[in-house]
């Protein structure tokens, strides 16, 4: 079987070395899609990763910048990749590492399912600490035929997907959950909102329960797939409609592509 992942740990002197002993206790993580050496809004991924490392472990940007540069040098300029950078191990002496992974297939639609569990996340605004458990739950969700599970508040209001930000249309208004709630600051969602504002489309933060989205067009977005359109299926938490030129939005996201 062809190897789809290689792991490198960062050593002093701006060096990434292969390892079979990677730390598995994730403290911070970030990932993005690389196609032929180009990435959407790489600077925003850098900002989010460094911000979490600073807030959770007290690192300064200058301490992490050499690791970031070493990562960029390691990523191939050809092919499709989905690298993940990590701060892992213990907060007292964390390890910085890179998982260089082949990109999985990219999809344009998604089947959503309500996780129907209490929000277990300890640090929802930081990607990493809760990621392993979320991926385990997503694996179980997929056994039911879904692609992604959605999380809700104790009162049943929408938060986000396990690995996606939820965006929906109410008429001509583009809606999402307020960043003041327990949600990750999604990079792709930020880009879409920026595009909407440039096109003078109203953007609103709204508190909704799954059933409130009946009849709305719903998107689940992330750095890997970009925009995936939620489709109707037997376990869907709401019935969706389709009315936007979604191809226009997918193409518009390409304006944020930059060379590594």
């Amino acid at each position: 079987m062809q190897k789809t992942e290689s792991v490198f740990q960062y050593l002093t002197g701006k060096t990434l070395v292969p390892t079979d002993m990677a730390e598995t206790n994730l403290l911070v993580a970030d990932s993005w899609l690389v196609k032929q050496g180009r990435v959407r809004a790489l600077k925003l991924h850098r900002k989010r990763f460094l911000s979490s490392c600073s807030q959770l472990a007290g690192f300064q940007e200058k301490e992490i910048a050499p690791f970031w540069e070493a990562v960029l040098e390691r990523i191939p300029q050809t092919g499709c990749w989905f690298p993940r950078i990590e701060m892992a191990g213990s907060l007292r002496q964390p390890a910085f590492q890179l998982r260089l992974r082949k990109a999985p297939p990219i999809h344009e639609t998604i089947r959503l399912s309500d996780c129907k569990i209490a929000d277990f996340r300890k640090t929802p605004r930081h990607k990493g600490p809760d990621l392993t458990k979320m991926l385990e739950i997503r694996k179980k969700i997929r056994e039911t035929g879904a692609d992604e599970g959605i999380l809700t508040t104790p009162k049943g209001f929408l938060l986000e997907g396990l690995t996606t930000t939820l965006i929906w249309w109410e008429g001509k208004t583009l809606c999402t959950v307020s960043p003041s709630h327990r949600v990750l600051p999604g990079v792709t969602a930020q880009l879409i909102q920026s595009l909407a504002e440039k096109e003078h489309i109203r953007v609103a933060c709204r508190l909704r329960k799954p059933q409130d989205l009946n009849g709305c067009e719903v998107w689940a977005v992330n750095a890997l797939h970009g925009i995936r359109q939620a489709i109707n299926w037997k376990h869907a938490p709401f019935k969706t409609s389709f009315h936007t030129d979604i191809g226009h939005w997918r193409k518009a996201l390409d304006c944020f592509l930059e060379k590594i």
Side-chain angles (χ1 to χ4, degrees):
M1 183 180 294
Q2 186 179 7
K3 190 175 182 181
T4 58
E5 177 179 284
S6 299
V7 184
F8 303 85
Q9 278 193 346
Y10 178 71
L11 303 179
T12 56
K14 302 182 181 180
T15 303
L16 279 169
V17 298
T19 181
D20 293 323
M21 301 292 291
E23 293 285 354
T24 57
N25 180 43
L26 278 180
L27 303 170
V28 181
D30 216 310
S31 53
W32 52 83
L33 178 65
V34 182
K35 295 180 70 174
Q36 306 303 325
R38 302 175 76 201
V39 183
R40 282 192 299 264
L42 187 58
K43 292 181 179 65
L44 290 182
H45 286 283
R46 182 183 189 275
K47 180 180 178 181
R48 185 171 68 178
F49 182 76
L50 267 61
S51 175
S52 288
C53 290
S54 173
Q55 292 180 44
L56 297 178
F59 281 100
Q60 296 182 13
E61 179 177 344
K62 64 181 181 180
E63 297 176 281
I64 305 173
F67 164 66
W68 177 267
E69 295 303 322
V71 165
L72 299 188
E73 290 177 5
R74 178 68 66 168
I75 298 173
Q77 294 295 303
T78 59
C80 265
W81 301 87
F82 189 49
R84 187 170 83 189
I85 56 174
E86 302 171 351
M87 182 175 76
S90 69
L91 283 173
R92 289 186 177 182
Q93 194 170 6
F96 289 92
Q97 52 197 30
L98 162 69
R99 292 183 188 272
L100 187 57
R101 310 174 294 185
K102 290 282 189 180
I106 307 301
H107 299 290
E108 294 187 346
T109 61
I110 189 169
R111 290 166 294 186
L112 298 174
S113 178
D114 192 339
C115 288
K116 296 181 179 179
I117 57 174
D119 185 3
F120 57 87
R121 297 170 301 165
K122 296 178 181 179
T123 57
R125 294 186 180 89
H126 300 284
K127 184 175 181 178
D130 304 303
L131 186 58
T132 299
K133 186 170 183 179
M134 287 196 291
L135 293 178
E136 290 174 355
I137 294 173
R138 189 181 66 174
K139 183 178 179 180
K140 293 180 180 179
I141 286 285
R142 286 180 169 179
E143 292 172 357
T144 69
D147 301 303
E148 170 77 317
I150 60 173
L151 296 167
T152 57
T153 70
K155 293 184 178 181
F157 292 101
L158 288 168
L159 288 172
E160 59 189 344
L162 291 166
T163 60
T164 56
T165 301
L166 297 179
I167 293 176
W168 65 95
W169 291 87
E170 295 185 13
K172 295 182 179 180
T173 301
L174 187 68
C175 304
T176 191
V177 175
S178 170
S180 64
H181 292 291
R182 289 170 54 85
V183 293
L184 182 74
V187 169
T188 305
Q190 292 178 54
L191 301 182
I192 292 171
Q193 291 180 49
S194 174
L195 290 171
E197 289 166 358
K198 287 181 180 178
E199 297 190 17
H200 306 290
I201 292 172
R202 185 184 179 197
V203 177
C205 294
R206 292 182 176 170
L207 195 59
R208 297 287 186 262
K209 293 184 176 181
Q211 60 268 28
D212 297 331
L213 269 58
N214 278 321
C216 297
E217 180 167 351
V218 181
W219 298 347
V221 307
N222 64 14
L224 175 60
H225 298 278
I227 303 171
R228 278 181 289 177
Q229 196 169 44
I231 58 174
N232 296 317
W233 70 296
K234 62 180 179 179
H235 296 308
F238 37 73
K239 297 295 182 181
T240 63
S241 63
F242 313 99
H243 62 81
T244 67
D245 181 359
I246 197 168
H248 163 76
W249 290 88
R250 290 181 177 132
K251 185 176 181 180
L253 278 178
D254 289 345
C255 75
F256 297 105
L257 285 170
E258 54 190 274
K259 195 76 173 173
I260 289 179

